[in-house]
Amino acid sequence: MTVQKLYPAYKDYIWGGTRLVEKYAKQTEKRPCAESWEFSFHQDGFTRLENGKTLCESVTVKDLGKNTEDFPFFPTLAKFIDAKDNLSVQVHPSDEYALKHENSFGKTEMWYIVDADEGAGIYLGFNRDVTKEEFRRAIEENTLTDLLNFYEVKKGECYFIPSGTIHAIGKGCLIYEIQQNSNLTYRVYDFGRVGADGKPRQLHIEQALKVTDLKKFTPQSWRASKYFTARKESIQNERTFQTDGSTFQCVTCVQGEGVIEGQALRAGESYFVPASYGAFSLQGNMEVIMTEVRKYYIGIDLGGTFIKGGIVDDLGNILVSDKVPTETEKGSERVSQNIVSLCKTLLHASGMQVSDMQGIGMGVPGTIDGKEGVVVYANNLKWENFALGKKVEALLGLPVKLANDANVAALGETKFGCGKDYNDTVLITLGTGVGGGIVIGGKLFEGNHGAGAELGHSVICAFGEPCTCGRAGCLEAYASATALIRDTKRAMESNKASKMWEIGSLDFVTGKTAFDYKDTDESAKTVVENYIKMLGVGLTNIANEFRPEAIMLGGGVCAQGDNLVKPLQAFLDKEIYAGDKGPRVKILTATLGNNAGILGAAALLMK
């Protein structure tokens, strides 16, 4: 399918105006023209194409994208709303309630303010905590609006309305609404209005009392749920966008005019871009709302001191992030509670709900049985055989996937960082120790019971320097930052004339000291050359064993950049089996930093 102009379904509700016809030249005989359903698969108003067929019957699964495949119904609906008069005060139920009682889905929505008269506004949520009895009494006494927040709105603002939030669009507002694909509404107050038949319109008070959130409401401008994600883009001259097979794009012009793929796009018009279309261009001077369906995950990086976490979309964007103390000394139950608390904080900050998440991925130090979600052994957490996955899943109600933290970082860098152009990679982290992770065919290689891959504990010098693991001659004993500091101190002690003594004393030696002086001091130069040689031997072994497309280096030592990578690449190119007759292995520097753990953890759940 190509990019298609959309022809809306129209609604003539009694509170509507005429701006959609007069300002946006909507082609309809309906007066008033209250709503224009720009992008709808709903039976109450299908969007059509130029050939007269509905969009619903014309698109394929490939056109909609893989992110919509898991839904039992198409998830998204978008429409313009012109309120000449106040809409009813209403509430939409959650999926859980609606499916049980209405054989329908609930409704979460967002409003983009396209235009607003002076003083126009919206009612949104209670202005304080109320009881069910207060709610009922206010309805009966026609004082409900006294309990509601009223926000004067301005063009360009955005408001997010989760299911269960009482609300109403006020007169004088022109809104672009993006919502869950549902037309289920519980009307609780209608300003004494009567319908076309001269009778008061039906109210749904008892249902509303059961589903309305009675707590004080805090407005959110968040523009995402599992049913839709929306963003505003300003087009000046020309911009190119890309679909990647994951999701369609619905492009709606809310101001100005331009061209989309050679077709005119004016304010009030919408186009459908298939998920499989690829690159498409927008030209002109306009503002557009782009609607799609993304997937969301919680990524947790569990450390000995802090638990870091974030909500991540399927493109690798971290939407919100935070951290809390681990409190290892208070036991595994407390740590589990802290993880759950962090997840709830992230959800609150994003305006999203547990049901919007695909699951929770966690990177955990130690030996992990990922299949069972068990931390088999984690020395710094003092855990043995702790079923962390099942514990968090029971507390939060989301599926949980665990993996070793170094493995998770490897997956993060491969999927979203320096290795995103490769399918077969190895990550080596050069820190206090030397960690590692292996990705094969885009999938994490975890080894027997998730215990792989301890690449830092492969021996590169038989009976060499002692290693913390109990063996001697391991890569970690030569290539860690700890080893680099040790060798720098040894060099300084052996040469009292070394310029490295300018730092003052051995107490000030760091992993960068030898690199800082390598061009002016022979002892420093020797330390750096030996370090690169020993690390090069380890990387060559890894390259020969796995022949990845790339080896990614992370950790503080990598701050040396080309001073480290260029000589390592030259060493590897020379020493690798078959030399230039075999495939080249690229050495890269990790780019995600501290976010690698969060992104990699989230990626554990991505298909």
Side-chain angles (χ1 to χ4, degrees), residues 169-350:
I169 298 174
K171 61 183 178 180
C173 293
L174 180 61
I175 284 175
Y176 186 62
E177 177 177 290
I178 303 167
Q179 59 165 87
Q180 185 177 350
N181 186 8
S182 171
N183 202 26
L184 179 59
T185 296
Y186 293 150
R187 191 181 299 124
V188 296
Y189 179 64
D190 203 27
F191 299 95
R193 187 162 38 207
V194 295
D197 59 1
K199 298 178 181 179
R201 295 200 296 170
Q202 182 182 7
L203 301 181
H204 312 88
I205 296 172
E206 295 305 318
Q207 296 98 318
L209 288 169
K210 294 175 182 177
V211 304
T212 302
D213 185 347
L214 301 176
K215 294 182 180 179
K216 181 180 177 180
F217 180 79
T218 302
Q220 297 278 353
S221 62
W222 191 247
R223 304 178 185 182
S225 73
K226 68 180 179 181
Y227 303 107
F228 59 82
T229 297
R231 68 186 189 277
K232 182 172 74 172
E233 297 286 357
S234 295
I235 310 301
Q236 302 291 332
N237 298 320
E238 182 175 7
R239 290 182 62 188
T240 299
F241 299 90
Q242 179 85 29
T243 59
D244 62 358
S246 297
T247 174
F248 64 89
Q249 294 280 350
C250 177
V251 181
T252 300
C253 182
V254 293
Q255 181 175 311
E257 61 180 22
V259 174
I260 177 170
E261 289 294 277
Q263 303 179 68
L265 175 58
R266 300 178 180 87
E269 294 182 335
S270 302
Y271 278 79
F272 176 81
V273 183
S276 56
Y277 189 78
F280 64 97
S281 66
L282 294 174
Q283 301 164 304
N285 185 357
M286 57 184 172
E287 290 186 346
V288 300
I289 303 295
M290 304 184 76
T291 304
E292 58 189 353
V293 173
R294 301 247 67 100
K295 291 191 174 183
Y296 296 96
Y297 311 81
I298 298 176
I300 297 293
D301 184 3
L302 177 57
T305 305
F306 285 102
I307 308 167
K308 294 178 288 186
I311 291 180
V312 180
D313 70 15
D314 55 342
L315 296 177
N317 299 306
I318 299 178
L319 282 62
V320 294
S321 61
D322 207 339
K323 65 179 182 179
V324 296
T326 307
E327 297 185 308
T328 306
E329 71 281 0
K330 295 183 180 180
S332 58
E333 293 292 322
R334 181 58 171 265
V335 175
S336 301
Q337 291 285 353
N338 289 344
I339 292 170
V340 172
S341 177
L342 175 57
C343 290
K344 291 180 177 179
T345 297
L346 294 169
L347 290 168
H348 179 74
S350 70

Side-chain angles (χ1 to χ4, degrees), residues 7 46-58:
Y7 292 81
F46 287 112
T47 297
R48 296 185 179 274
L49 303 179
E50 188 175 17
N51 61 13
K53 292 185 178 181
T54 68
L55 177 63
C56 180
E57 66 183 339
S58 301

Side-chain angles (χ1 to χ4, degrees), residues 13-72:
Y13 303 133
I14 60 174
W15 43 260
T18 57
R19 279 188 290 190
L20 292 175
V21 175
E22 295 169 354
K23 182 176 180 179
Y24 287 157
K26 293 294 186 181
Q27 301 298 307
T28 177
E29 298 298 321
K30 291 186 180 294
R31 299 292 187 277
C33 181
E35 294 185 351
S36 170
W37 290 25
E38 299 291 305
F39 182 60
S40 170
F41 286 62
H42 198 281
Q43 61 183 2
D44 290 347
F46 287 112
T47 297
R48 296 185 179 274
L49 303 179
E50 188 175 17
N51 61 13
K53 292 185 178 181
T54 68
L55 177 63
C56 180
E57 66 183 339
S58 301
V59 295
T60 65
V61 173
K62 186 178 180 181
D63 293 329
L64 297 177
K66 62 184 181 181
N67 284 357
T68 66
E69 292 179 6
D70 294 336
F71 289 96

Side-chain angles (χ1 to χ4, degrees), residues 466-485:
C467 183
T468 56
C469 72
R471 301 178 75 195
C474 291
L475 177 61
E476 180 172 299
Y478 292 93
S480 63
T482 304
L484 180 56
I485 291 170

Side-chain angles (χ1 to χ4, degrees), residues 290-495:
M290 304 184 76
T291 304
E292 58 189 353
V293 173
R294 301 247 67 100
K295 291 191 174 183
Y296 296 96
Y297 311 81
I298 298 176
I300 297 293
D301 184 3
L302 177 57
T305 305
F306 285 102
I307 308 167
K308 294 178 288 186
I311 291 180
V312 180
D313 70 15
D314 55 342
L315 296 177
N317 299 306
I318 299 178
L319 282 62
V320 294
S321 61
D322 207 339
K323 65 179 182 179
V324 296
T326 307
E327 297 185 308
T328 306
E329 71 281 0
K330 295 183 180 180
S332 58
E333 293 292 322
R334 181 58 171 265
V335 175
S336 301
Q337 291 285 353
N338 289 344
I339 292 170
V340 172
S341 177
L342 175 57
C343 290
K344 291 180 177 179
T345 297
L346 294 169
L347 290 168
H348 179 74
S350 70
M352 300 176 84
Q353 303 177 40
V354 169
S355 60
D356 290 317
M357 300 294 110
Q358 298 293 311
I360 304 171
M362 281 194 263
V364 183
T367 302
I368 310 300
D369 185 340
K371 185 177 181 180
E372 297 297 327
V374 173
V375 182
V376 178
Y377 177 70
N379 180 57
N380 63 342
L381 297 173
K382 297 180 173 58
W383 290 356
E384 288 188 30
N385 297 315
F386 177 53
L388 176 62
K390 291 182 179 178
K391 182 68 177 179
V392 173
E393 185 171 336
L395 291 171
L396 205 55
L398 281 171
V400 177
K401 172 71 174 174
L402 307 184
N404 171 268
D405 55 352
N407 288 346
V408 158
L411 185 60
E413 283 289 350
T414 302
K415 194 165 182 67
F416 300 117
C418 67
K420 63 184 178 181
D421 295 327
Y422 305 97
N423 287 314
D424 300 314
T425 62
V426 175
L427 174 70
I428 298 294
T429 55
L430 308 172
T432 304
V434 172
I438 302 167
V439 176
I440 301 173
K443 302 293 184 182
L444 188 62
F445 171 77
E446 297 183 81
N448 186 15
H449 286 277
E454 293 292 347
L455 299 175
H457 297 291
S458 57
V459 172
I460 62 170
C461 181
F463 311 111
E465 294 282 352
C467 183
T468 56
C469 72
R471 301 178 75 195
C474 291
L475 177 61
E476 180 172 299
Y478 292 93
S480 63
T482 304
L484 180 56
I485 291 170
R486 176 201 65 209
D487 290 346
T488 302
K489 289 180 178 180
R490 286 177 179 175
M492 291 171 65
E493 288 175 326
S494 298
N495 182 7

Side-chain angles (χ1 to χ4, degrees), residues 422 532 535-536 539-540 543 549-551 553 561-576 583-589:
Y422 305 97
I532 289 172
L535 177 56
L539 298 188
T540 303
E549 296 168 281
I551 296 176
L553 300 180
D562 285 348
N563 286 332
L564 177 69
V565 172
K566 283 188 174 181
L568 275 175
Q569 186 73 66
F571 185 98
L572 178 60
D573 291 344
K574 179 176 178 293
E575 296 293 326
I576 194 170
R584 193 167 187 260
V585 177
K586 184 81 171 174
I587 297 178
L588 306 170
T589 302

